[in-house]
């Protein structure tokens, strides 16, 4: 007996759905707009969360993989020598002699 009632329940529900009046045509656009808005918001939230996750993981990886801020004495001495050469008069005189060619190349 229970099996008979369970089988009749879907049939009864579908019969009752036939009595529901149709939706006015001007409401379809509103309903579709709300569905699309929810879909867009869901995708936006998912995209923002994924972007934050990627940014945090990339920052963490680069932070862990980067070498320490301290340099060995040899590297510090070499950098100091390069800095003093760039700031010297010899380097400035060499770089200023190339200025003429830059002006020729970039004339309008």
């Amino acid at each position: 007996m229970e099996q008979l009632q369970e089988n009749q329940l879907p049939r009864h529900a579908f019969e009752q759905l036939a009595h529901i009046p149709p939706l006015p045509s001007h409401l379809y656009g509103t309903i579709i707009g709300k569905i699309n808005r929810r879909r867009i918001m869901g995708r936006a939230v998912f995209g923002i969360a994924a972007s934050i996750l990627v940014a945090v993981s990339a920052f963490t990886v680069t932070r862990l993989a980067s070498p320490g801020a301290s340099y060995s004495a040899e590297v510090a001495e070499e950098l100091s020598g390069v800095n003093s050469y760039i700031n010297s008069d010899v380097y400035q005189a060499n770089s200023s002699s190339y200025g003429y060619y830059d002006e020729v190349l970039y004339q309008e």
Side-chain angles (χ1 to χ4, degrees):
M1 191 73 167
E2 289 178 26
Q3 201 174 27
L4 181 65
Q5 288 178 348
E6 288 177 9
N7 290 339
Q8 289 180 355
L9 183 62
R11 176 190 278 165
H12 182 68
F14 286 124
E15 288 173 357
Q16 294 301 320
L17 282 174
H19 298 294
I20 296 174
L23 192 64
S25 62
H26 68 278
L27 292 180
Y28 282 116
T30 306
I31 292 170
I32 295 298
K34 285 185 180 183
I35 291 171
N36 287 339
R37 203 172 314 129
R38 282 189 180 181
R39 186 181 308 152
I40 290 170
M41 288 299 292
R43 287 180 180 173
V45 168
F46 181 74
I48 290 170
S51 298
I52 290 172
L53 181 65
V54 167
V56 166
S57 62
F59 178 71
T60 304
V61 167
T62 56
R63 194 167 160 231
L64 292 175
S66 66
S70 61
Y71 297 109
S72 67
E74 298 163 352
V75 173
E77 184 180 339
E78 188 69 28
L79 289 175
S80 176
V82 169
N83 187 23
S84 64
Y85 174 73
I86 289 175
N87 292 328
S88 70
D89 293 334
V90 174
Y91 181 78
Q92 298 296 330
N94 286 341
S95 64
S96 65
S97 66
Y98 296 122
Y100 173 74
Y101 297 113
D102 290 339
E103 292 173 7
V104 172
L105 290 175
Y106 297 113
Q107 282 183 348
E108 293 181 11

